[in-house]
Amino acid sequence: MAVAVEDWVRTLGFMDVYRMLKLGDAVIHIPDNISKRMKIFVGDLTLISNRPVEIFTDERIQFLATLSSTLFKLPQVRSLPDVSTFAYWSRKSNLLRLRELSKSKSKFKMGLGLSFHICPSNVPINFAFSMAFGLLAGNTCVIRLPTKESPTISTLIEAILNVLSIPEYADIKSEILIARFLRDDEVNKFWLSVADCKIVWGGDDTVNHFRSLPSQPRSREVAFPDRYSLCILNPSEVNLLDNGGLKKLTLNLFNDIYLMDQAACSSPQLIVWIGEDEEVRSAKMRLWPALVEIVADRYELKPVHAVDKYVEACNIAINNERAISVECSGNLLYRIELSSISVEQDKYRGYFGTVHEITLRSMDELSPMVNERYQTITYFGFMPNIIRNVIASQKLRGIDRVVPVGAAIDMGLFWDGYDIVTSLSREIVFQ
């Protein structure tokens, strides 16, 4: 039987790839048919390595800190609050603080090797946090960008390229690959076949899809599927606030709701007042007009989002039998008052300044509603240990974060119940 020369070349090429991966070589050989389908923004396909390093190395902390200072110098960052948030988070002082929290002198942790990151389009800044988590955990990062263009992504790419051009960070060029490719499972399968861990940001469908694709037997997964969040307010404490305190509370609430257009899973969708009707009415009359004033001053609602917001509010009013009123403050804030809670509340979401609102006598009444999809509680006017007691006594399956109003979208190394650096690294035991 005759075999064409081209077939032999392809066969030998495949064997070379297989042999390199089998032997665990540091540099990943990427077949041409895979590399041609990827648009590379950062990194070099011929250099990408799966060699891990210790967690929180000085070099990687300094790289991220330099990225932070570079971002702060870019004029467009002033109009990109998500990029400003990342730049602030990746300051050297904060990274050193996180290292102290994560690193124990008695334990030795290394990365796993190569991490493959699937990043979402609804919160574009997440790709930067995902990269930072992977690097701090000691891994090489292969980032699949969302297909949707955004100023957030282009600004960060510009800054990352600037920092990587500094000779001091030459080694990191083999540890970061940022690319965009269509929803191409051949490319996904290749990266999963060489990845030691995958980080999947996105909805339930995305997470389930990547779980259906084969991975290495020891590959780990950190997945962030759809989640739902709420805010708990104490009306008597709101009523006691002076003007300065009220302004601070409303500014914090604005940040939680509007900075990410409620696309972040940790942005509150449901406002829960715990108290008597009269004090709640009084608190609402103080809080909401003050919030609308800030929204009018700081938020620009795009026409297409205004239409989406209005249509969705109409859908909820028609289809949710527990919706008893919809209060509209122009197009700036929609409040949908509920008559009671439901186990299906997490199906009703709002965007661009749309919240559901309910008054309860006790936090215990939340128990039937809070399932495993509930992620963050933001609170004002309560001690966090009260919420902790409710979570424990009611044996709630959901809630991974309890933070003050204003901290809903503050990204941390603990997210969705994961210790991310621990999940993306391995502890080496010495005896």
Side-chain angles (χ1 to χ4, degrees):
M1 180 180 66
V3 179
V5 172
E6 291 81 3
D7 291 339
W8 273 110
V9 170
R10 277 197 294 272
T11 302
L12 291 171
F14 172 80
M15 291 176 66
D16 285 344
V17 172
Y18 180 78
R19 186 162 50 248
M20 289 188 76
L21 301 179
K22 180 89 172 177
L23 296 174
D25 284 357
V27 175
I28 301 295
H29 179 91
I30 304 169
D32 286 346
N33 67 319
I34 298 298
S35 60
K36 287 177 179 175
R37 301 184 196 187
M38 303 171 63
K39 182 178 180 181
I40 307 301
F41 293 89
V42 175
D44 186 333
L45 286 169
T46 65
L47 296 178
I48 200 72
S49 161
N50 64 2
R51 195 178 294 280
V53 299
E54 194 175 353
I55 66 171
F56 284 101
T57 61
D58 290 338
E59 181 190 32
R60 292 186 177 198
I61 286 177
Q62 190 57 50
F63 167 75
L64 291 170
T66 305
L67 177 59
S68 169
S69 59
T70 301
L71 286 169
F72 278 128
K73 293 174 185 173
L74 296 177
Q76 67 266 37
V77 170
R78 297 192 192 98
S79 61
L80 298 170
D82 53 350
V83 179
S84 296
T85 299
F86 174 75
Y88 188 77
W89 180 87
S90 54
R91 293 161 11 255
K92 188 171 185 178
S93 59
N94 185 52
L95 298 178
L96 291 175
R97 182 184 66 83
L98 295 175
R99 177 161 72 177
E100 284 303 305
L101 291 173
S102 297
K103 217 171 179 180
S104 167
K105 292 179 180 177
S106 62
K107 295 181 178 179
F108 179 57
K109 292 183 179 179
M110 294 276 290
L112 299 172
L114 188 142
S115 58
F116 180 38
H117 305 243
I118 298 93
C119 301
S121 60
N122 63 336
V123 187
I125 192 63
N126 276 6
F127 99 84
F129 280 107
S130 201
M131 178 191 72
F133 295 154
L135 289 174
L136 294 173
N139 298 298
T140 292
C141 297
V142 175
I143 311 283
R144 193 191 85 171
L145 291 175
T147 53
K148 186 178 177 182
E149 301 277 357
S150 84
T152 292
I153 292 176
S154 58
T155 298
L156 279 156
I157 294 293
E158 176 187 346
I160 292 169
L161 289 171
N162 285 342
V163 177
L164 285 176
S165 68
I166 301 172
E168 180 182 351
Y169 303 116
D171 289 346
I172 294 183
K173 287 182 179 177
S174 67
E175 297 161 351
I176 300 175
L177 184 72
I178 300 178
R180 178 174 283 143
F181 52 91
L182 299 176
R183 295 183 178 179
D184 186 332
D185 274 347
E186 288 306 307
V187 182
N188 289 328
K189 286 177 182 177
F190 169 77
W191 285 113
L192 289 172
S193 73
V194 297
D196 299 284
C197 53
K198 62 177 180 283
I199 299 90
V200 185
W201 301 82
D204 295 355
D205 291 342
T206 301
V207 171
N208 288 331
H209 177 71
F210 276 89
R211 282 180 180 160
S212 73
L213 302 177
S215 301
Q216 290 197 63
R218 279 179 52 78
S219 178
R220 297 187 193 175
E221 174 191 275
V222 174
F224 302 103
D226 293 331
R227 303 299 298 274
Y228 189 90
S229 296
L230 68 153
C231 172
I232 298 177
L233 300 176
N234 184 333
S236 60
E237 293 295 321
V238 172
N239 289 329
L240 288 173
L241 289 171
D242 60 19
N243 289 338
L246 183 64
K247 185 175 182 179
K248 181 179 180 183
L249 173 61
T250 49
L251 185 57
N252 285 336
L253 200 54
F254 169 83
N255 290 337
D256 288 350
I257 295 174
Y258 288 89
L259 285 190
M260 295 282 184
D261 286 328
Q262 293 177 285
C265 290
S266 55
S267 292
Q269 297 285 335
L270 174 66
I271 306 295
V272 182
W273 295 91
I274 305 293
E276 300 298 324
D277 291 342
E278 189 54 41
E279 61 184 358
V280 170
R281 265 194 297 274
S282 176
K284 286 180 178 179
M285 290 177 66
R286 295 201 71 202
L287 181 69
W288 297 128
L291 176 63
V292 169
E293 191 174 326
I294 289 178
V295 177
D297 184 53
R298 296 176 176 237
Y299 184 70
E300 182 179 353
L301 182 66
K302 296 177 182 176
V304 64
H305 293 162
V307 174
D308 291 344
K309 182 176 178 177
Y310 180 76
V311 170
E312 187 57 28
C314 291
N315 283 335
I316 292 171
I318 293 169
N319 298 316
N320 187 349
E321 61 184 16
R322 296 173 300 106
I324 55 178
S325 68
V326 179
E327 295 282 342
C328 301
S329 302
N331 264 336
L332 301 177
L333 174 66
Y334 287 1
R335 295 160 42 217
I336 301 168
E337 182 78 24
L338 301 175
S339 60
S340 61
I341 59 172
S342 161
V343 293
E344 296 186 337
Q345 181 57 42
D346 59 283
K347 294 180 180 177
Y348 296 100
R349 303 182 65 93
Y351 298 95
F352 318 114
T354 301
V355 295
H356 293 74
E357 193 173 17
I358 192 168
T359 299
L360 301 176
R361 298 289 182 271
S362 163
M363 288 187 208
D364 288 347
E365 295 179 52
L366 293 169
S367 176
M369 177 187 74
V370 177
N371 57 38
E372 71 280 2
R373 297 172 72 85
Y374 281 73
Q375 186 210 56
T376 295
I377 288 179
T378 48
Y379 63 87
F380 176 80
F382 295 101
M383 297 299 291
N385 67 308
I386 294 176
I387 303 172
R388 175 178 176 166
N389 291 339
V390 171
I391 294 171
S393 64
Q394 298 297 315
K395 301 179 180 178
L396 299 185
R397 284 170 49 78
I399 305 302
D400 298 322
R401 299 174 70 229
V402 179
V403 296
V405 169
I409 58 176
D410 290 356
M411 186 64 77
L413 294 180
F414 294 86
W415 197 258
D416 265 15
Y418 292 107
D419 177 342
I420 298 178
V421 168
T422 295
S423 299
L424 298 179
S425 61
R426 69 190 201 277
E427 182 177 338
I428 302 173
V429 178
F430 295 86
Q431 293 183 336

